[in-house]
Amino acid sequence: MSLNLTNTYTVRHVRPDDVPNLPTFFREAYGEQSVFISERFLSFYFGSPYMPVDLATSLLAECKETGKIVSFYGCRAYKLQLFGQIVSMSQNANAYTLKDWRRRGISGKMVDYVHNNNEGNLAIGMKPSTKDFYANDGYNAFGGDPMPRFIFNLNEKTYEIIEHIGQDLDMAQDLLPIQAAASISDPNIIQITPENIAQFQPDWYIDLKGTTYRDMRWLKRRLVAHPFVKYDVYSYVSQGKIRAYVALREENLAPQNYKIYRIVDVYGAPAHVPVLLRHATHEAYTRGYIYIDFAKMGNIYDSELAELNFTKLNGQDGALIPLVTAPIEKRNNHEFVCIQSKTHHATMHRLTLDNAYFTRVDCDRDRVGRLWQIPEELR
């Protein structure tokens, strides 16, 4: 069904028969090396643990005369734990309009539609002007500050990286001293893999009013058995139950080719988080990684991170460390978090930094970006 009509284009939901045509659009939008030209990647990326492929919440605009796709607004199926309810949401993933079709109101129509018709929407990472637009349009922007970053510096080479992107070296040396990573041996720490995940049950509930709904299906698909990105998932296990976990991803800093560990997600009882973070820092040290980076929205785990000497970088201090890695470059910290629901509007605005929690696992940026980053047989 068409949602909006003009003399030149139609905006509508994506249909299954559109999938073979989407790579052609993304090739023109993002180039030959964009991972979005892979049908297999698209099918996985816009699927969910609860539905194999779910592009139906995404929108596209097509030329009425030729049927060519000229704009795309990607939404990913998502479940939010909201004050004891499980709410079906959409993660606003990616949006692009071909240059010749801009300034025709296409993007505005798409934003209006998802705002008014989806049960809820979560967007992470955007320009400040977009964040302000969302805030004025009824989204909860959590005070308007971007996600802070938590850094555990392991090596002098971190300063080389910071100097390379033109950031304040003196500030970096002051805020990010080199830390020692103590060795740790705890039989309760177990790496979760596709081979052993069926042995465990989740027991990681924490009393947050707003966060991603995490169950074992979600953990397996999103982190443990992800076909395109390798994550190291370490858990604190007691009596066969996962009480907490940390998910990490190796990233390469080009062109220097230094390696870092990025914490993508931490979840579970705060009492078990410090030992997992110690394990992560020691693992990073033994592998020769130069620092660990973690971005999150919400105050939970602040004290545990401080206890282990992670440095918290608020606001634009978060841009001291590169936000992009292929290649590294100086960019502002635009990791703003905005969440909205017409159905649960008042409840969404009861979410604060004290009772909500979002991490990079909820963000479109945590994915491969280029076709060469995935094995040829998966393209």
Side-chain angles (χ1 to χ4, degrees):
M1 182 180 68
S2 299
L3 306 174
N4 298 284
L5 295 175
T6 71
N7 292 329
T8 54
Y9 67 85
T10 302
V11 175
R12 62 171 174 81
H13 285 295
V14 175
R15 300 186 303 254
D17 61 317
D18 291 315
V19 175
N21 299 320
L22 285 172
T24 300
F25 166 78
F26 286 119
R27 185 175 282 109
E28 185 173 351
Y30 299 140
E32 288 289 339
Q33 279 301 310
S34 170
V35 74
F36 283 102
I37 73 172
S38 164
E39 281 190 48
R40 294 184 69 174
F41 175 81
L42 286 174
S43 295
F44 177 83
Y45 186 71
F46 287 102
S48 79
Y50 316 102
M51 188 177 295
V53 182
D54 189 11
L55 271 161
T57 57
S58 296
L59 303 177
L60 61 77
E62 64 182 356
C63 174
K64 290 175 68 176
E65 183 176 347
T66 66
K68 177 182 179 179
I69 298 172
V70 298
S71 185
F72 180 84
Y73 192 99
C75 297
R76 302 169 67 193
Y78 171 75
K79 290 184 182 291
L80 179 75
Q81 179 181 307
L82 180 67
F83 286 91
Q85 299 182 62
I86 307 302
V87 176
S88 294
M89 301 271 293
S90 291
Q91 284 179 317
N92 301 351
N94 62 329
Y96 193 93
T97 300
L98 298 181
K99 289 181 180 179
D100 291 344
W101 288 83
R102 294 174 187 172
R103 300 185 183 278
R104 304 191 190 201
I106 298 176
S107 296
K109 286 184 173 64
M110 290 178 165
V111 170
D112 286 345
Y113 184 83
V114 300
H115 179 105
N116 290 310
N117 291 276
N118 290 349
E119 185 171 0
N121 296 284
L122 173 69
I124 299 179
M126 66 206 77
K127 296 178 181 178
S129 58
T130 304
K131 177 260 300 179
D132 292 340
F133 170 82
Y134 279 146
N136 291 332
D137 204 31
Y139 281 67
N140 180 351
F142 296 95
D145 292 324
M147 283 187 180
R149 299 175 75 190
F150 296 80
I151 307 296
F152 191 90
N153 185 16
L154 288 159
N155 197 293
E156 290 272 355
K157 292 174 182 176
T158 300
Y159 305 137
E160 178 187 332
I161 292 295
I162 291 167
E163 190 171 32
H164 178 89
I165 64 172
Q167 286 286 20
D168 190 329
L169 181 59
D170 290 336
M171 179 181 175
Q173 291 172 330
D174 181 51
L175 292 178
L176 302 173
I178 297 172
Q179 305 286 352
S183 61
I184 183 170
S185 177
D186 190 318
N188 293 103
I189 297 178
I190 296 175
Q191 185 169 5
I192 305 298
T193 67
E195 292 72 31
N196 69 12
I197 189 171
Q199 302 173 23
F200 307 107
Q201 296 296 320
D203 188 17
W204 53 49
Y205 176 81
I206 47 179
D207 188 22
L208 287 165
K209 305 307 179 186
T211 193
T212 297
Y213 175 66
R214 297 162 171 89
D215 62 9
M216 290 301 282
R217 282 189 295 173
W218 177 90
L219 182 71
K220 182 176 181 179
R221 188 181 192 278
R222 179 63 182 84
L223 294 170
V224 174
H226 197 293
F228 299 103
V229 179
K230 182 183 183 300
Y231 298 99
D232 297 324
V233 182
Y234 297 101
S235 63
Y236 187 93
V237 176
S238 175
Q239 299 178 333
K241 295 182 177 180
I242 300 174
R243 313 290 183 174
Y245 68 82
V246 58
L248 305 113
R249 175 183 176 182
E250 176 191 283
E251 294 207 23
N252 182 65
L253 304 183
Q256 289 83 357
N257 293 326
Y258 299 148
K259 301 291 194 299
I260 67 166
Y261 234 169
R262 192 182 299 280
I263 298 176
V264 175
D265 198 29
V266 176
Y267 196 71
H272 302 311
V273 166
V275 70
L276 288 169
L277 293 175
R278 287 191 190 94
H279 181 82
T281 59
H282 186 255
E283 191 71 21
Y285 173 76
T286 59
R287 296 186 187 194
Y289 298 162
I290 65 172
Y291 63 82
I292 300 179
D293 178 12
F294 179 36
K296 69 179 182 71
M297 181 66 76
N299 294 334
I300 191 170
Y301 307 131
D302 273 14
S303 60
E304 288 76 17
L305 289 157
E307 176 188 333
L308 268 74
N309 295 319
F310 278 75
T311 298
K312 184 177 184 179
L313 300 176
N314 288 305
Q316 291 313 313
D317 287 350
L320 194 62
I321 293 284
L323 285 111
V324 294
T325 60
I328 59 171
E329 59 183 59
K330 183 178 181 178
R331 287 195 185 180
N332 290 331
N333 183 6
H334 288 167
E335 298 296 296
F336 301 104
V337 178
C338 295
I339 193 166
Q340 170 270 347
S341 171
K342 285 280 191 179
T343 309
H344 310 281
H345 177 79
T347 307
M348 286 293 189
H349 281 268
R350 289 168 58 198
L351 296 178
T352 69
L353 296 179
D354 288 326
N355 64 18
Y357 177 59
F358 299 98
T359 69
R360 196 173 178 88
V361 82
D362 306 307
C363 179
D364 169 62
R365 284 165 171 73
D366 185 57
R367 58 171 171 80
V368 291
R370 298 295 179 185
L371 200 61
W372 57 262
Q373 293 176 296
I374 59 178
E376 190 167 348
E377 64 271 16
L378 294 179
R379 298 178 188 177

